[in-house]
């Protein structure tokens, strides 16, 4: 990974003292910035998926009417996400129409772990996205 190095010195002279500040900046390259944006995009998509799954879990648990437009939309959006986990664990009925859908919780955790795995893989393959700025100030009295 390449980085961009910037260095400059600021000097302020006033009656009786001189202040010299040396500033070193190490900024990430364009490629490093792009990798950082890809990682942010992966986390954004992961957050959206987990949020939708969480809403589905709550709607299922409180026994929401599946004919309702909002509930129907959430269930339609999350059905493809939940389907790999659908019969993994049995649902636990709470009362009439209400149930704890354990497979939904497992799916949410699985997608969080997938997001973590993908971001870690991108970091390993394309390196660090850190930038560093160092400042050193020296003041001297002028006699």
């Amino acid at each position: 990974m390449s980085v961009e190095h910037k260095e400059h010195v600021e000097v302020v002279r006033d009656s009786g003292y001189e202040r010299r500040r040396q500033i070193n900046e190490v900024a990430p390259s364009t490629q490093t910035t792009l990798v950082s944006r890809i990682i942010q995009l992966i986390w954004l998509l992961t957050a959206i998926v987990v949020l939708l799954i969480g809403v589905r879990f709550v709607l299922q648990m409180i026994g929401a009417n599946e004919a309702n437009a909002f509930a129907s939309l959430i269930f339609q959006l999350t059905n493809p996400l939940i389907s790999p986990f659908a019969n993994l664990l049995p649902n636990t009925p709470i009362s009439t129409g209400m149930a704890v859908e354990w497979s939904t919780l497992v799916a949410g955790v699985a997608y969080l772990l997938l997001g973590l795995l993908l971001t870690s893989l991108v970091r390993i393959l394309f390196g660090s996205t850190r930038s560093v700025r160092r400042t050193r100030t020296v003041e001297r009295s002028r006699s």
Side-chain angles (χ1 to χ4, degrees):
M1 285 291 141
S2 62
V3 292
E4 182 180 329
H5 294 275
K6 294 180 185 177
E7 183 176 332
H8 65 279
V9 176
E10 295 175 357
V11 178
V12 176
R13 290 186 177 105
D14 199 3
S15 60
Y17 77 94
E18 176 180 291
R19 177 182 300 152
R20 181 180 300 259
R21 185 177 358 184
Q22 179 180 6
I23 301 172
N24 295 315
E25 292 184 58
V26 181
S29 67
T30 304
Q31 180 180 359
T32 304
T33 303
L34 180 63
V35 168
S36 177
R37 296 293 182 245
I38 290 170
I39 289 171
Q40 291 171 349
L41 181 63
I42 291 170
W43 277 123
L44 176 64
L45 294 174
T46 302
I48 291 169
V49 166
V50 171
L51 178 67
L52 287 171
I53 290 172
V55 171
R56 176 194 174 104
F57 178 79
V58 170
L59 290 175
Q60 188 73 28
M61 193 169 69
I62 63 174
N65 179 5
E66 292 186 29
N68 175 278
F70 176 73
S72 176
L73 174 67
I74 295 297
F75 286 121
Q76 286 176 0
L77 288 173
T78 56
N79 277 340
L81 299 170
I82 302 299
S83 64
F85 308 95
N87 296 322
L88 186 62
L89 299 168
N91 295 343
T92 305
I94 299 173
S95 68
T96 308
M98 302 168 126
V100 175
E101 201 174 49
W102 295 107
S103 299
T104 303
L105 284 180
V106 171
V109 170
Y111 287 113
L112 273 175
L113 292 174
L114 180 64
L116 179 64
L117 178 69
L118 287 175
T119 56
S120 296
L121 184 63
V122 169
R123 279 193 181 105
I124 288 169
L125 292 176
F126 301 107
S128 174
T129 60
R130 296 181 185 162
S131 64
V132 176
R133 178 179 176 159
R134 294 186 195 114
T135 303
R136 187 177 77 177
T137 302
V138 176
E139 289 188 33
R140 295 182 190 155
S141 61
R142 298 168 79 187
S143 323

